[in-house]
Amino acid sequence: MSMAAAVIDIPSGAVVARTSAQPQTLRVSNVGLTYSTAEGPVEALRGVSLDVSEGEFVSILGPSGCGKSSLLKLILGLDRATKGKIALDGEVIDGPSHGVGAVYQSPVLLPWRTIEENVLLPVDVMKLDRKAAIPRARALLTMAGLGDFGGRYPYELSGGMQQRAGIVRALVHDPRLLLMDEPFAALDAMNRELLTLELQRIWMESRKTVVFITHSIPEAVLLSDRIVVMSARPGQIIEIVQNPSPRPRTFADLNSAEAAALCDGIRRILDLSGRH
Amino acid sequence: MAIANPSTPDVRGISDDIRMTWNGKAFAALRRGGELAAFFILVIVALEAFIVLAGVEPYIFPAPSAIGRALWRGLIDGSYLSALAVTMTEILGGLALGALLGISLGVAMVNVSLLERFLYPCIVALQTVPKVAIAPLMIIWFGFGLQSKIFMVTVMCLFPCLINTIAGLRATDSDRINLIRAMRGSRWQILRYVQLPSAAPYIMAGINTAVVLAIIGAIVGEFVGAKVGIGVLILKANFELALDVAFSLIVLLAITGVILSTTIKAIERRLCFWSGRATK
């Protein structure tokens, strides 16, 4: 009884030691996906199994065509797996759910809505309490460094700021899982590093469970607890790499012996090491 | 909450920009207006001079000064304005009805493929028929009053609104649709939050096309059968060979058309202020 109370008393945002006893937020079990095309069936995913614990940051890394985005669509409930199943907090996903927030390659902000109105879009669509959501939206915008820009229109903001607004929109309804599909792919290199660090800070403050899709090895190593390395055609998991180093991490930290070894290991798994 | 890194100096000095361009734009608009007015005055003076010098009979082509006098007379004695009120009611009523019907049908057709398969060809077939051929039917069915003219205008306005609505809804970025779908949005919510706003510039362009057709529809309807309206006055003036009166009414119609079209454009700019600005 006292044990249970102690667990409940942990304030949100505190660092919780993750053990194998942590509840599984996302369970991907032996998922396969085959598209039928005019040229015959195309296997996009084969035998993908992955468990993501609560509060964990997991990256999915792989070359283009490895089915990363297909997997994301399955988790979003926009597509159906042809084999296996995906469950969120024990509930099998058979369509879009309110438990997931998503950030896409482009921010996909609606140009006729202000930044704040864009951030509140999930609240409107999910018919949540708008009055209660507004302070939360503003707090999140401030956290993302957009506190003064809620009343602006998307076209008045730079690409990096638009993408930050996209992240805030994904968090506004407090989803159990945050899905990010190469969110920084469209940004220039400097903005990209800046936003990666920004995301780390946002994640450390919110402790969301994150599945982050990328094809950048440094980005994956910097951000993740675990890195899922996938191969292409058909997309399958080759290896899952752990990164236990403490946070906050910086891009300079990637030059440390452990991090360099980690990056190198991933490159070798992906057959990109250049040492033949 | 730590506001550690508000790295946000990457916004342009927007308010300055807008003020600058506003002053510049206002000046340019004024200048263009002035140039246009000067051009019109030049044409009118040239026409007046030619008609007077060449001795063209007023029942063949009245001088601009005569047209101006007729316009003034008609406006002062109130006959033009009361006729215009009737014609405007027909135009605006028919336009509203046609736009409403066109947009609704467009939405329905995009969402129900069966409707599109069967109804769309019928409407295209109707569109290919010259509307003048329908006008007498409208009079037979709906009488000499406002109704027949309003329905005539409706028929004219329906098609451009319909095809533009369909095109606009179809052109909606699939990322935006998937955005709402991923939030478990319904068909109706996709329409309301994404498709209709995305299609708004298309729909407004359709309405702008329809305005011109609405004026034609109202006048043709009045030609075929009506007791009051600008069309009725034009017919009467033609019978009496009072060409100055006929021309003055045509000028009045042209001014009305320009005002209507500019109003629609202004509404469009207001409603679709975001159109053409880069966001992704």
Side-chain angles (χ1 to χ4, degrees), chain B residues 27-264:
Chain B
F27 183 69
L30 220 64
R31 218 182 79 171
R32 249 178 297 139
E35 284 169 358
L36 199 64
F39 174 73
F40 268 119
I41 290 168
L42 197 75
V43 169
I44 289 168
V45 169
L47 200 64
E48 181 85 32
F50 173 77
I51 287 169
V52 171
L53 291 177
V56 178
E57 295 293 342
Y59 57 82
I60 303 292
F61 202 109
S65 56
I67 297 171
R69 274 196 301 279
L71 187 61
W72 183 244
R73 251 184 285 124
L75 286 175
I76 297 208
D77 70 14
S79 60
Y80 282 15
L81 289 184
S82 59
L84 190 62
V86 172
T87 306
M88 280 297 275
T89 309
E90 294 160 1
I91 290 171
L92 293 179
L95 180 66
L97 211 60
L100 200 73
L101 223 81
I103 294 167
S104 318
L105 274 174
V107 168
M109 283 184 191
V110 168
N111 285 292
V112 187
S113 59
L114 211 66
L115 263 184
E116 189 176 18
R117 260 181 48 213
F118 292 106
L119 202 54
Y120 192 71
C122 299
I123 289 176
V124 172
L126 183 70
Q127 174 61 16
T128 55
V129 174
K131 300 301 173 305
V132 189
I134 301 176
L137 286 176
M138 290 287 173
I139 306 297
I140 292 169
W141 291 337
F142 303 108
F144 286 86
L146 272 179
Q147 259 183 40
S148 54
K149 263 68 73 183
I150 287 178
F151 289 141
M152 183 70 203
V153 174
T154 305
V155 171
M156 297 287 283
C157 296
L158 176 75
F159 198 70
C161 294
L162 174 72
I163 49 169
N164 276 40
T165 302
I166 291 177
L169 294 176
R170 287 263 155 80
T172 309
D173 190 348
S174 62
D175 283 352
R176 288 180 186 164
I177 293 174
N178 278 332
L179 177 77
I180 305 291
R181 281 220 299 145
M183 296 172 192
R184 213 171 168 173
S186 59
R187 281 298 301 128
W188 160 246
Q189 285 180 318
I190 291 172
L191 187 71
R192 175 179 162 199
Y193 289 116
V194 162
Q195 281 187 303
L196 274 179
S198 293
Y202 289 79
I203 295 173
M204 287 310 294
I207 292 176
N208 206 19
T209 312
V211 162
V212 180
L213 298 175
I215 298 172
I216 298 173
I219 297 301
V220 166
E222 288 177 356
F223 278 1
V224 174
K227 296 189 198 93
V228 276
I230 296 290
V232 176
L233 291 184
I234 292 177
L235 270 191
K236 193 163 149 263
N238 285 348
F239 280 132
E240 294 166 356
L241 282 182
L243 256 62
D244 52 345
V245 174
F247 268 95
S248 71
L249 288 161
I250 290 167
V251 169
L252 187 66
L253 272 182
I255 293 168
T256 309
V258 170
I259 290 172
L260 273 176
S261 178
T262 330
T263 311
I264 299 286

Side-chain angles (χ1 to χ4, degrees), chain A residues 96 107 112 125 145 152 158 161, chain B residues 8 10 14 181 184 189 197 280:
Chain A
W112 51 84
V125 175
R152 294 286 176 83
S158 70
M161 295 171 82
Chain B
T8 52
D10 40 355
I14 294 152
R181 281 220 299 145
R184 213 171 168 173
Q189 285 180 318
K280 213 8 193 113

